[in-house]
Amino acid sequence: GAVVSQHPSRVICKSGTSVKIECRSLDFQATTMFWYRQFPKQSLMLMATSNEGSKATYEQGVEKDKFLINHASLTLSTLTVTSAHPEDSSFYICSATGGQGAAKNIQYFGAGTRLSVL
Amino acid sequence: SQKIEQNSEALNIQEGKTATLTCNYTNYSPAYLQWYRQDPGRGPVFLLLIRENEKEKRKERLKVTFDTTLKQSLFHITASQPADSATYLCALVANSGYALNFGKGTSLLVTP
């Protein structure tokens, strides 16, 4: 159980284009989803937290107009990198929670999306 | 500021030995501490959660300790196998909500 699917796994795009990444919880309802980015040999950095049906909460330094997050249902959240530039190249990972009590702290991660902007 | 520190140097051990990884934290008062495993190019996978009132928790060959006085958690893998080779991440809940802050992780390499 607790499977999170993330798509695409890899995307290469030209500078200036927008890229959408999908994150789906396959076998549970994800009340909260998170988006992280990770640079090589670095830790996961939280970008934003999204709750179904409400606006995402962005971490300090993350441009909300640059990284658009939509969490329209309890099983789907999307991250759109708008007008991507080479510095946006990174590994983007989503996660979801849906349990109760202590289990709500456990996050189930997607496999990640490697974004390369040329 | 809040910090989660893990030994940044890779840990190389021989198959069958016990691997011990350390996580130290500052400026947190965590109710829970978690350990995740991450393989290259993949998302992290949850391993264990330990509560502040639990000194130790076990799951198969894994053992986690949590000392809130020392502000430290130790993660042990007994009878290690080459398949245990991965990066292991320590995580604590951020101040607000259920978002997690992760340490940089410790890379473990188990050689036959």
Side-chain angles (χ1 to χ4, degrees), chain A residues 32 34 36 38 41-44 46 49 59 91 93 97 101-112 114, chain B residues 32 34 36 38-46 49 51 89 93-94 96-105:
Chain A
T32 306
F34 304 91
Y36 298 83
Q38 186 177 34
K41 305 265 186 223
Q42 297 295 313
S43 183
L44 285 79
L46 178 67
T49 302
E59 295 300 300
F91 190 52
I93 315 174
T97 65
K104 194 169 175 63
N105 289 278
I106 298 171
Q107 294 188 19
Y108 299 96
F109 285 82
R114 174 75 57 193
Chain B
Y32 315 97
Q34 301 181 46
Y36 288 76
Q38 187 176 24
D39 289 283
R42 307 289 293 177
V45 174
F46 170 75
L49 177 151
R51 302 168 192 252
L89 305 170
V93 176
S96 58
Y98 296 96
L100 290 175
N101 290 333
F102 286 86
K104 286 188 178 181

Side-chain angles (χ1 to χ4, degrees), chain A residues 41-42, chain B residues 4-11 21-22 87-88 103-108:
Chain A
K41 305 265 186 223
Q42 297 295 313
Chain B
I4 302 172
E5 296 180 345
Q6 294 185 254
N7 194 341
S8 58
E9 295 200 8
L11 179 62
L21 286 68
T22 303
T87 296
Y88 291 86
K104 286 188 178 181
T106 298
S107 176
L108 172 66

